[in-house]
Amino acid sequence: MRGEQRRQSAGNPRKRQHDDSNEGSQKQTAPPESKKHRDIFSAFKFKSMLLDSQTSFSALESFIGTAEEPAPGEADVVEGFLKISSECGEIFQVLNAKRQPHELSVVYQAFEAILLRIAGDLKHYSTTGLTIVQRFMQNYIHIIYQGLNSRLSAKCVMTCLRLLTAMVAQGRAAARHFFSHFNFRHKDMRNLPTRVNSKGAIDVRTCFVRFSLSFLINGDHNIIKKTAEMPDFLPSLFNKLHSDKISSVILILSTIKENIIFHQAIPKTTKVKFFNFYNLEKLSKLYMWAGRNDWSDYEDLDELAAVAAGRAIVRDNIHSFLKEVCCFFKHGICFQDRTIGTSEKSGNIVLLRFIQHLHKSVCDDMLVAELVISILKCCPDLLNRYLIGVQHMFQPRPSSQWHSSITFLSKLYNILPSVPPAYMISEQVPLSQLVEMTITTVCPPVLNRDLLQQ
């Protein structure tokens, strides 16, 4: 019977061709299914490939590609690996041999992917995250410094900085451990905030900004205080801030405002040292911001319109920022002088130097003029010393600058309290000093007899 069917099939070319076509179709569709089955990348496969020096880096690259949070129904390689390797020892083992920078970059990315997931949707593995940080700091700190070398490519340095940021993001305990072991004065740290790529969306400086601010975001009160007290760490962000892209500027200002200025546990002395004259001078350059507007809301505008819109946003933000720093006794750096500048001592020397520095822009920039007026209103003890120091501005001459100077002086004294602050103090003071205190806020010292005669 079967032999007869074979003979019939052989005698019928069309049927034989149809059968051959079916067989060929089956042969063509079968291999992809088996290949797909072979290419499934699981946590167990990842771990076994890491143990073989020939396949360890291909395993890491495959792991990086699948490390993001999986879609519903897909296997989670990261969580699966954390279940079978609680300390990620197999990845650390790859670092035991001498590695080239591009190889280290792959290891950095793998650890970053794991730590970001732990800081995100896998918080129940926070103990593992802390263990990874501790192991890096205690046994592989030289690998970290190697990745920050200024001679390496920007790509390699950025992967290292992203890993460090992910370490600090593991929580306060991890931030404390990192802070206590890391050398913030390492020679290669100085170059990081100056490595800028104007064409790239993310460059070394951007990664360094996020790393620096991570201590303010994830650290406890003590870590935030110590971070603010390091003279060359956070202030290094201010050097090129006026040419930074708008996203970095807003991130820096908002993070420092929330975690240093408004932080009640940060002493005023720490804030005064942090916002010294040199740092205030660098921050004030943002009134003339000349960076790039990288916000997606302005993509439809031409370049000039986008820059103009970005400049307006940056100017408003730095103006609000500096007013919080300079014009509030509670959380700012100003001190109340009840003698209104009539005593020999003054606690607002930093602000005096700052507004003296700004006097060149007072006549040309309304926001700068408003900032100076706000500072002098808050600290009337600076009135005499400031105005005497810039009295050349008020010498009569037929110019628009002189007119602007007189307008500024008028606005300043109109905004001062109608009742002199000298009459608001409860302490008894000698009559001569009371008169001097009253004159300070009533009569500008630059309006002397010589000037009025001119």
Side-chain angles (χ1 to χ4, degrees), residues 142-340:
H142 62 285
I143 298 294
I144 296 297
Y145 297 139
Q146 186 178 345
L148 299 176
N149 194 302
S150 57
R151 290 174 293 182
L152 297 182
S153 67
K155 182 179 179 181
C156 184
V157 177
M158 286 192 292
T159 57
C160 184
L161 284 171
R162 286 199 297 265
L163 170 60
L164 301 187
T165 306
M167 287 184 186
V168 181
Q170 297 308 298
R172 294 184 174 182
R176 283 194 299 269
H177 191 84
F178 186 102
F179 195 93
S180 63
H181 286 76
F182 189 78
N183 179 15
F184 290 92
R185 295 190 175 184
H186 191 272
K187 59 183 180 65
D188 290 314
M189 290 286 288
R190 294 191 298 267
N191 300 319
L192 298 177
T194 62
R195 294 188 65 173
V196 179
N197 181 6
S198 58
K199 298 180 180 179
I202 298 179
D203 51 21
V204 173
R205 174 176 168 81
T206 303
C207 294
F208 180 77
V209 166
R210 295 174 181 175
F211 166 64
S212 303
L213 298 178
S214 65
F215 293 96
L216 303 182
I217 297 171
N218 301 288
D220 55 22
H221 302 336
N222 191 41
I223 292 298
I224 294 175
K225 180 176 178 291
K226 289 182 177 180
T227 302
E229 289 175 345
M230 286 192 292
D232 301 321
F233 187 50
L234 288 179
S236 67
L237 304 181
F238 302 153
N239 291 331
K240 289 184 174 291
L241 192 58
H242 67 283
S243 59
D244 246 333
K245 50 183 174 288
I246 190 172
S247 58
S248 295
V249 172
I250 302 303
L251 176 63
I252 291 171
L253 295 181
S254 60
T255 305
I256 292 178
K257 180 189 288 187
E258 179 180 353
N259 296 284
I260 294 181
I261 299 175
F262 291 155
H263 203 305
Q264 297 180 355
I266 304 300
K268 194 163 191 170
T269 52
T270 299
K271 295 179 183 180
V272 172
K273 291 178 181 179
F274 183 78
F275 293 108
N276 56 42
F277 166 72
Y278 301 102
N279 290 336
L280 289 177
E281 185 266 334
K282 293 171 186 174
L283 287 167
S284 68
K285 290 182 179 180
L286 285 175
Y287 281 111
M288 301 180 66
W289 176 75
R292 179 167 54 90
N293 190 344
D294 62 338
W295 278 1
S296 58
D297 296 347
Y298 300 94
E299 288 180 348
D300 297 334
L301 300 178
D302 60 75
E303 184 177 356
L304 291 177
V307 170
R311 184 177 293 114
I313 294 172
V314 171
R315 280 169 55 83
D316 287 342
N317 274 270
I318 188 57
H319 188 63
S320 171
F321 181 92
L322 289 176
K323 286 182 72 173
E324 296 292 348
V325 172
C326 303
C327 303
F328 289 90
F329 297 118
K330 182 178 180 180
H331 55 260
I333 64 171
C334 54
F335 296 89
Q336 187 173 15
D337 182 0
R338 293 187 176 275
T339 67
I340 314 182

Side-chain angles (χ1 to χ4, degrees), residues 42 68 172 267 378 383:
S42 65
E68 295 183 0
R172 294 184 174 182
C378 177
L383 274 168

Side-chain angles (χ1 to χ4, degrees), residues 352-416:
L352 177 61
R353 291 187 63 190
F354 182 49
I355 59 179
Q356 287 175 338
H357 165 76
L358 295 175
H359 85 273
K360 295 180 180 179
S361 304
V362 161
C363 298
D364 304 322
D365 194 319
M366 294 181 60
L367 280 183
V368 174
E370 182 183 333
L371 175 64
V372 173
I373 289 174
S374 299
I375 293 174
L376 291 173
K377 179 184 177 182
C378 177
C379 305
D381 53 292
L382 301 179
L383 274 168
N384 281 353
R385 280 178 288 179
Y386 169 72
L387 292 175
I388 291 174
V390 297
Q391 59 182 340
H392 63 277
M393 295 170 51
F394 305 102
Q395 296 297 323
R397 56 190 181 276
S399 67
S400 59
Q401 186 176 10
W402 177 78
H403 183 270
S404 299
S405 300
I406 296 300
T407 302
F408 164 77
L409 188 64
S410 176
K411 288 181 178 179
L412 171 59
Y413 275 82
N414 282 332
I415 205 172
L416 293 175

